[in-house]
Amino acid sequence: LRDGNAAQQKKLRIAARLNHLFQFDEAIASIDALLAEAPWLAEAHHQRGIARACLGRYEEAILDFHETLELNAYHFPAAAAMGQAHLELGDQPAALECFRRALRVNPDLEGVRARVLQLQRGERGA
């Protein structure tokens, strides 16, 4: 949330608040406008991905999370969220790869670690 100028940071905080309030369509519209002026804001892509995932638009969310990671390779929440979106689409290998990426950046993500172990057990059982 430190990227961008003061006005862009404020718009980003508003969009995050809209997501927090489950106003996903409004968040997406707000973020679309922000990204039109500042497409390099990784967190804007992440917030739009969250909104899209919450609306069940997983393919679009994955694209947003991917763009977040292109702009900020250390954005482990985007990697974890992308993994969850892949799971929702039934793509367990892609989900596992994303979860492992999140753990490489932040090894303290116990929920993600548990998900990796669960998916690995599923791979061995298949």
Side-chain angles (χ1 to χ4, degrees):
L1 297 175
R2 295 178 297 222
D3 286 343
N5 62 38
Q8 292 163 343
Q9 290 173 2
K10 182 178 180 180
K11 290 175 186 177
L12 192 50
R13 285 192 301 275
I14 290 168
R17 181 79 175 140
L18 289 168
N19 272 343
H20 183 74
L21 295 172
F22 303 100
Q23 296 175 348
F24 305 119
D25 289 320
E26 293 89 343
I28 290 169
S30 173
I31 295 164
D32 285 346
L34 176 57
L35 287 172
E37 77 177 70
W40 42 266
L41 289 174
E43 187 58 26
H45 290 278
H46 180 240
Q47 289 297 320
R48 188 171 64 183
I50 290 169
R52 286 174 165 173
C54 289
L55 291 171
R57 295 163 52 183
Y58 301 113
E59 294 91 352
E60 292 172 279
I62 288 167
L63 293 173
D64 277 321
F65 297 138
H66 178 78
E67 186 63 25
T68 302
L69 291 164
E70 286 292 312
L71 294 166
N72 178 356
Y74 299 101
H75 200 297
F76 61 86
M82 187 163 52
Q84 188 60 42
H86 279 296
L87 269 186
E88 294 293 336
L89 293 173
D91 189 346
Q92 292 184 356
L96 186 57
E97 180 181 329
C98 293
F99 291 143
R100 286 177 175 154
R101 180 176 183 170
L103 285 174
R104 282 192 302 273
V105 177
N106 184 348
D108 295 329
L109 301 171
E110 292 307 319
V112 174
R113 184 176 310 288
R115 188 62 79 147
V116 166
L117 293 173
Q118 177 188 30
L119 289 171
Q120 287 174 334
R121 280 194 300 271
E123 278 184 347
R124 287 192 292 266

